[in-house]
Amino acid sequence: MSDVAFDIGSIRKDAELIAAVVPRDGLFTLLRRAVQVPSGWVALVVGEEGERSAVAGRGEIAATHTSEVLFVRTGLLGLGFDVGSVTSSDEYRCDASVQLAVAVSGEAADLAGFRSAVLGHADRATLSSLKDHLADEVRRGVVTWARQHTAGELVDSADPGGFLGALREATGQACFSAGLRLDEDVTATFVSSALDTVRVEAERTAARRDRMAMDRQLRQAAEAARGEHLEHVEQMLGRLRQMAEASPEVSVAELIRQFGEDQRGQLYRSLLQCAAVAKRCTSVVVAAGDELVWLDPGSPASPTRRQRVELPGGGIRSLALVRDPNGRDLLAVGGARTVVLVDPARGQVRATFEWDVPEGKAVRSGINSLAVRGAHLLASHSGLGVRGWELDTGRGFDLLAERTQGARTVRCVQTDPRGDVWVSIDEAVIRLEGSDLTTAMPRVYAGGKSRIAALHVHLDEVYAGTEAGDVVHWSADRPEVCASVHGGRGGPCQSVHLSEIMGIRRLGFADGSDAVRELVLGDTVVDGYVAEGDRFEQAWWSSDRLAGVNAYRNRVYVWAVGQTGSPVGAADIGWLCSSQVRDVCLIVSDEAGEGVV
């Protein structure tokens, strides 16, 4: 036995070292008959008869009956792999790299497997040794994943959770044999110079197309101003067009900001009126009492059609146009605890869904918002929470039950183009992501000073109206930061909507004041859609029409977008139906057919 023992502290000084085998004679001396396992390490002690035991960090190993000791670093071990070139499903070459982390099990059998698989006959292992052990399997997983996805999906990291699953499947045997656990924090990076070239050219083409469209719209706006003998507006549009030609890299919104405030307002309205509209409003559908009333958006005074919808518990409470998995548009009509899906063209009831309520539970109000997400119908109810139904079987399920229990208001259920589900619960907005809504972890957007009354999600921006009349904003990726956009005037803000035309973003809202207002974001310009003598509680938007209901909820007004001075017309729903307006939706059409904005 040696008089000079192995310096056990030395293994902690080498950042690359992850394992070391030390024989008995190197570990113990005549004077040192026991050693302590360093913190952050685990030891596999092999006895004289081949028996094995694991000793955790700060544990003691005695010299008696010990043949050798394997020290292994615990905790996550970060590894980086340059996988090299792989081919996507659309035949683009991509350079791939992967960052992952593994941890070694502290069980004796797993430590023995680690020694056999990673060290072999060597007495030391480094991070490079571990990378060598996993390299082939990691590459195999990346190659398989790349073949199942387009270059765009790979470069944009469209499904990180799916990649983790694919990598686990590819490395499963190698990890199992070495007693390793793959951590969930895995990052795959794909770079494709060929795709970058294609995207840059596509962006240039889109920019040229947008510039041509902008020039055309400026010409049309100038011609319209000339036809209305608005020489000053025509001159401003001409100057704006010259500025755009001289500075093609500058957005129209930035160019307009160089004019005075009154001039900017006139320019915004002129461009809005002449903007190209891909989808036009074909019908305004009003829910009042137990009736659906169709109005012509160009002449809304008299109904074009009326339909009675039988709902138990006190008539219609909410209305939405939804699209089922087969691409059919249906009117979702919500009652106290019932939803029916109606064919808007034929008036036939396609399906009925009941909200199961515990016996004896008193429930006020009714279903206040509706949406469809894939094969599921979704509804919100301030007294019952959030409910989903399978469209094909009618099977129901509750969502966010713990969060909605005891809540005063549950409203505004909707989906975004990604398929995420959004809903408001009291002062917060909740987002559900992922394929399985029942197990999705909610993201909470908090910070509003009063309960949410309206919600609008536009791309990666979230806008909400509150009962205090405020309009607040969150970025979708920063739920903890709530910013005020507009201060309330005392009445609740029950509608909020964001539109963008030629790079000009307009935030519309209705808060019980004498106009449905639109703010030009990034500017001080405010427009108001007015009707003399009335105040407006709610509003609904399409690309070319805006509908608003007055404070008495007995009249529905329709305006042409951009023409704020006076409405196209109004329908006296109180006189027609002897009921108040409960909800409204705008049906739009394009070359692809009808749909909702």
Side-chain angles (χ1 to χ4, degrees):
M1 187 172 292
S2 172
D3 291 332
V4 181
F6 171 76
D7 180 8
I8 197 168
S10 65
I11 62 175
R12 304 177 63 179
K13 300 176 183 177
D14 187 348
E16 284 290 310
L17 185 69
I18 62 171
V21 178
V22 184
R24 170 192 172 91
D25 291 345
L27 191 59
F28 303 105
T29 68
L30 293 173
L31 298 179
R32 188 171 76 180
R33 307 302 297 161
V35 296
Q36 187 181 66
V37 179
S39 177
W41 290 71
V42 65
L44 176 66
V45 181
V46 181
E48 293 174 344
E49 301 297 327
E51 66 276 16
R52 298 176 300 208
S53 62
V55 180
R58 299 184 182 277
E60 190 173 88
I61 304 172
T64 306
H65 304 304
T66 296
S67 172
E68 66 178 19
V69 179
L70 167 67
F71 293 97
V72 179
R73 190 185 297 272
T74 59
L76 292 176
L77 305 173
L79 303 174
F81 295 85
D82 290 323
V83 178
S85 181
V86 297
T87 304
S88 66
S89 62
D90 49 357
E91 300 300 327
Y92 281 90
R93 304 294 292 179
C94 302
D95 291 324
S97 60
V98 175
Q99 295 290 328
L100 57 82
V102 294
V104 184
S105 167
E107 299 295 326
D110 291 329
L111 291 170
F114 178 83
R115 177 176 182 178
S116 175
V118 179
L119 279 79
H121 297 292
D123 60 3
R124 291 195 168 220
T126 63
L127 291 173
S128 296
S129 309
L130 197 52
K131 285 174 61 176
D132 291 342
H133 174 69
L134 295 173
D136 289 344
E137 283 71 18
V138 169
R139 176 169 176 77
R140 178 164 56 84
V142 172
V143 168
T144 301
W145 181 255
R147 270 301 183 188
Q148 297 171 348
H149 296 80
T150 66
E153 292 170 338
L154 297 174
V155 170
D156 296 336
S157 301
D159 186 8
F163 178 75
L164 173 62
L167 193 62
R168 277 183 169 157
E169 182 177 352
T171 61
Q173 183 57 42
C175 286
F176 178 79
S177 67
L180 300 172
R181 174 182 61 83
L182 180 63
D183 186 65
E184 292 186 357
D185 189 10
V186 172
T187 302
T189 303
F190 295 86
V191 177
S192 173
S193 57
L195 179 64
D196 288 345
T197 300
V198 171
R199 283 183 165 180
V200 168
E201 184 57 35
E203 289 174 359
R204 289 173 179 168
T205 301
R208 288 194 295 269
R209 184 173 61 248
D210 291 345
R211 185 61 58 181
M212 292 172 63
M214 183 191 72
D215 185 71
R216 182 173 61 253
Q217 290 174 13
L218 288 174
R219 288 177 183 272
Q220 291 172 349
E223 291 171 1
R226 186 181 307 120
E228 296 176 16
H229 305 290
L230 300 175
E231 288 83 1
H232 64 293
V233 177
E234 181 184 359
Q235 291 172 1
M236 286 191 296
L237 289 164
R239 180 185 165 198
L240 178 62
R241 184 161 169 261
Q242 291 174 352
M243 294 166 65
E245 291 175 348
S247 304
E249 74 284 354
V250 181
S251 70
V252 173
E254 292 181 50
L255 293 174
I256 291 178
R257 292 191 193 107
Q258 299 179 36
F259 291 79
E261 183 167 343
D262 290 342
Q263 294 175 321
R264 296 200 304 274
Q266 291 176 325
L267 286 171
Y268 288 135
R269 287 188 290 274
S270 295
L271 294 176
L272 197 59
Q273 294 171 29
C274 295
V277 177
K279 297 181 179 181
R280 295 192 176 276
C281 180
T282 57
S283 294
V284 177
V285 185
V286 180
D290 60 357
E291 278 192 280
L292 297 179
V293 180
W294 271 258
L295 305 176
D296 181 344
S299 179
S302 299
T304 60
R305 177 178 154 201
R306 298 172 69 169
Q307 177 180 347
R308 193 174 300 276
V309 179
E310 297 292 339
L311 288 170
I316 300 172
R317 307 299 181 90
S318 56
L319 178 65
L321 194 71
V322 298
R323 180 162 291 179
D324 71 9
N326 298 318
R328 295 178 302 183
D329 288 325
L330 299 169
L331 280 169
V333 185
R337 294 176 298 186
T338 306
V339 182
V340 297
L341 298 181
V342 178
D343 184 333
R346 298 177 177 83
Q348 298 173 336
V349 174
R350 295 293 188 181
T352 301
F353 303 86
E354 295 288 344
W355 199 316
D356 298 327
V357 179
E359 187 175 351
K361 181 175 181 178
V363 179
R364 295 182 177 181
S365 70
I367 294 169
N368 53 50
S369 64
L370 296 154
V372 163
R373 192 251 205 182
H376 296 115
L377 171 67
L378 304 172
S380 65
H381 188 302
S382 290
L384 298 174
V386 184
R387 183 76 168 171
W389 294 271
E390 295 177 354
L391 285 170
D392 54 351
T393 68
R395 186 185 71 85
F397 53 91
D398 292 323
L399 295 173
L400 299 166
E402 292 183 0
R403 290 187 175 272
T404 58
Q405 186 174 12
R408 295 285 300 276
T409 59
V410 183
R411 300 167 169 156
C412 309
V413 68
Q414 57 193 264
T415 63
D416 65 21
R418 288 176 292 252
D420 297 344
V421 173
W422 301 77
V423 66
S424 70
I425 302 176
D426 288 336
E427 295 85 3
V429 174
I430 309 297
R431 177 186 185 183
L432 292 177
E433 305 168 87
S435 57
D436 188 350
L437 295 178
T438 59
T439 60
M441 290 297 294
R443 296 186 71 181
V444 181
Y445 295 73
K449 295 180 180 179
S450 65
R451 289 189 288 268
I452 303 298
L455 178 65
H456 180 76
V457 180
H458 178 83
L459 300 178
D460 290 322
E461 297 183 271
V462 184
Y463 290 89
T466 73
E467 290 185 354
D470 302 320
V471 180
V472 295
H473 166 264
W474 295 267
S475 292
D477 59 351
R478 299 193 66 190
E480 73 283 359
V481 180
C482 178
S484 175
V485 179
H486 170 73
R489 303 186 179 190
C493 179
Q494 298 188 61
S495 299
V496 63
H497 178 81
L498 183 71
S499 61
E500 184 170 348
I501 297 175
M502 296 177 66
I504 301 166
R505 299 190 306 159
R506 300 174 65 92
L507 181 69
F509 59 92
D511 59 359
S513 63
D514 58 358
V516 179
R517 303 192 187 279
E518 287 190 342
L519 309 176
V520 178
L521 296 181
D523 204 329
T524 57
V525 172
V526 181
D527 276 331
Y529 291 84
V530 298
E532 186 174 354
D534 257 326
R535 306 175 74 84
F536 298 95
E537 279 205 348
Q538 280 185 279
W540 298 261
W541 284 259
S542 72
S543 298
D544 64 331
R545 286 291 185 267
L546 187 157
V549 62
N550 65 349
Y552 296 107
R553 305 195 74 87
N554 64 345
R555 291 178 68 84
V556 173
Y557 292 87
V558 179
W559 293 267
V561 166
Q563 297 179 18
T564 58
S566 59
V568 172
D572 192 337
I573 299 297
W575 181 81
L576 287 169
C577 303
S578 300
S579 298
Q580 289 186 321
V581 175
R582 289 302 188 105
D583 207 348
V584 174
C585 77
L586 307 186
I587 298 178
V588 301
S589 67
D590 57 10
E591 293 180 357
E594 290 194 337
V596 66
V597 178

